Amino acid sequence: MKTTSLKLVLVSTPIGYLGSGKGGGVELTMRSLIKGLLSLGHKITLLAPQGSVLPSDCSAAEIRHVPGIDQPSWQHQEVSAPVVIPPDGVLLGLWEQALELGKESDAVLNFSYDWLPIWLTPRVEPDLFHLISMGAVSQVMKTLISELSKSDPSRLAFHTYRQASDYELFGEPVVLGNGFDLNHYDFQPLGGGPLGWAGRVAPEKGLEDAVAVAAALGDRLLVWGVMEDPEYAKKIESNFPPGTIDWRGFLSTAELQSQLRTCRALLNTPKWNEAYGNVVVEAMACGVPVVAYDRGGPGELINSGFTGWLVPPDDVVAMTEAASQVGMIDRKECRNWVENSASHDGFARRVESWIKKGISTTKFPKG
């Protein structure tokens, strides 16, 4: 079947510029998807906060920078918190341009977990689509997503079924998984290195549990990620033997995978329902088994006993025992799973199919 080229507007997360690390896994998702959509022949315009950058392999996409103050993240607010949109915030600027560009495009794809774009969806002319990046951490967002699911479910998609189950949806959810450019991850067949952990250094990521596992095994834990809560980090460090934590900071994909692939296992310890679990897949792409709490998205990504181990949530003893058994895992099985289930081109095809099915039948691609 002939592929019809689409004109797509992609709207980035407003909580930080691309390359800052503030956007977490959304940044990686966007870069992989843009490359995949370009390879399918689609025309991409990306709206992103001032300072955002794309890798050279995404240079065919047009990027428009929007100034403004970062939008507060729902990750750091109470579940019952009200909507807050700074009057000089980047969120308003992003969507002012998105609605204008959307008039001459086939669809607008939103990556931000924010009230405004979802509320706008049934009220504006452009076709807006939302790849929801988080679980139901906000009651107002949960309600709004449920309402859109009832009126137009084709406009919503999720990364995993576990993430989607956080919401009160009408009908089966659209689940797209995620995608990674595997050319950026080198397979390492040999294990035996240290333990690793990656993520934002913040309480909901549960770093203290991973450190406890490393300490129990008399091991060193390599830690990568944005230092979002320095006081939290200091408290953890003070509770364990010196040298247990090896802080590596926030690194580019190339730098991260070069260090991550030396690990014998990645520990994944979230205290909340992760929507997907990008670092889980990045580790497996390098051949690194993952020991994770069976909570949220990672529970759908890990084949326990084959690509790592799933243990009961918050059970540090069980995680310690599982981490001591990662030598039983065939590291090639980890890489094989990623190649079969989470490539960037496969992800782009799934997103393409979702958008084409959801575009109004009264509209035609503008070419």
Side-chain angles (χ1 to χ4, degrees):
M1 184 177 68
K2 183 179 179 181
T3 299
T4 304
S5 175
L6 298 174
K7 292 177 67 176
L8 301 174
V9 177
L10 274 57
V11 186
S12 180
T13 172
I15 66 173
Y17 64 86
L18 293 178
S20 68
K22 291 182 179 179
V26 174
E27 295 190 26
L28 183 59
T29 297
M30 290 195 65
R31 292 195 298 268
S32 296
L33 181 58
I34 289 172
K35 181 177 180 180
L37 291 173
L38 289 171
S39 71
L40 292 174
H42 302 303
K43 300 176 183 178
I44 306 297
T45 300
L46 172 66
L47 298 175
Q50 194 76 43
S52 294
V53 294
L54 284 173
S56 59
D57 55 11
C58 293
S59 60
E62 177 188 1
I63 182 169
R64 298 194 182 188
H65 295 101
V66 179
I69 294 174
D70 291 349
Q71 177 71 12
S73 172
W74 284 104
Q75 293 170 331
H76 306 129
Q77 302 179 57
E78 295 294 327
V79 68
S80 59
V83 174
V84 175
I85 303 178
D88 50 356
V90 70
L91 179 66
L92 295 175
L94 287 169
W95 283 96
E96 183 177 29
Q97 290 200 36
L99 295 182
E100 190 61 33
L101 289 173
K103 295 176 183 177
E104 302 301 323
S105 301
D106 294 300
V108 178
L109 179 53
N110 167 47
F111 289 84
S112 64
Y113 187 85
D114 290 289
W115 178 87
L116 178 61
I118 298 175
W119 182 84
L120 285 169
T121 303
R123 296 171 169 84
V124 297
E125 177 187 352
D127 284 336
L128 309 187
F129 293 80
H130 310 276
L131 180 53
I132 305 299
S133 61
M134 296 170 63
V137 297
S138 156
Q139 184 57 53
V140 68
M141 289 292 291
K142 182 176 181 178
T143 299
L144 193 61
I145 288 171
S146 178
E147 291 173 352
L148 184 58
S149 169
K150 187 175 183 178
S151 63
D152 198 345
S154 67
R155 302 305 182 88
L156 296 168
F158 303 85
H159 288 291
T160 61
Y161 287 97
R162 290 195 181 192
Q163 176 205 9
S165 69
D166 261 8
Y167 298 92
E168 296 173 3
L169 304 176
F170 294 81
E172 281 295 308
V174 175
V175 174
L176 301 175
N178 212 337
F180 301 78
D181 185 348
L182 299 183
N183 292 320
H184 295 163
Y185 300 90
D186 296 325
F187 173 64
Q188 170 54 264
L190 302 177
L195 297 172
W197 184 95
R200 290 178 296 101
V201 181
E204 66 269 15
K205 295 292 189 177
L207 173 58
E208 65 273 20
D209 288 5
V211 180
V213 171
L217 296 174
D219 214 323
R220 181 169 57 112
L221 182 71
L222 308 188
V223 175
W224 300 276
V226 173
M227 185 68 73
E228 198 168 82
D229 191 333
E231 291 304 313
Y232 166 71
K234 288 179 182 178
K235 182 178 179 180
I236 294 174
E237 199 164 31
S238 69
N239 288 333
F240 295 97
T244 303
I245 305 175
D246 185 344
W247 302 104
R248 297 298 178 98
F250 174 71
L251 303 180
S252 67
T253 296
E255 294 173 307
L256 172 62
Q257 70 90 30
S258 71
Q259 297 180 20
L260 177 57
R261 68 173 182 255
T262 68
C263 292
R264 72 176 186 276
L266 179 81
L267 305 182
N268 186 250
T269 53
K271 298 295 184 178
W272 66 344
N273 281 351
E274 294 279 6
Y276 187 72
N278 282 357
V279 295
V280 169
V281 180
E282 289 188 282
M284 292 196 295
C286 298
V288 178
V290 181
V291 181
Y293 288 151
D294 191 0
R295 170 186 279 146
E300 291 182 28
L301 308 179
I302 298 165
N303 186 357
S304 196
F306 292 91
T307 59
W309 301 100
L310 293 171
V311 301
D314 308 319
D315 191 335
V316 175
V317 173
M319 178 165 280
T320 303
E321 176 63 23
S324 69
Q325 299 179 30
V326 293
M328 299 169 57
I329 302 297
D330 181 352
R331 292 167 71 99
K332 189 67 173 84
E333 287 291 328
C334 299
R335 176 74 179 199
N336 288 344
W337 184 92
V338 180
E339 291 177 349
N340 293 330
S341 306
S343 66
H344 78 286
D345 50 353
F347 179 48
R349 286 192 294 269
R350 294 190 293 273
V351 171
E352 175 192 60
S353 177
W354 164 50
I355 291 175
K356 285 186 173 181
K357 287 180 181 178
I359 290 175
S360 169
T361 56
T362 62
K363 291 191 175 184
F364 298 90
K366 302 177 177 64

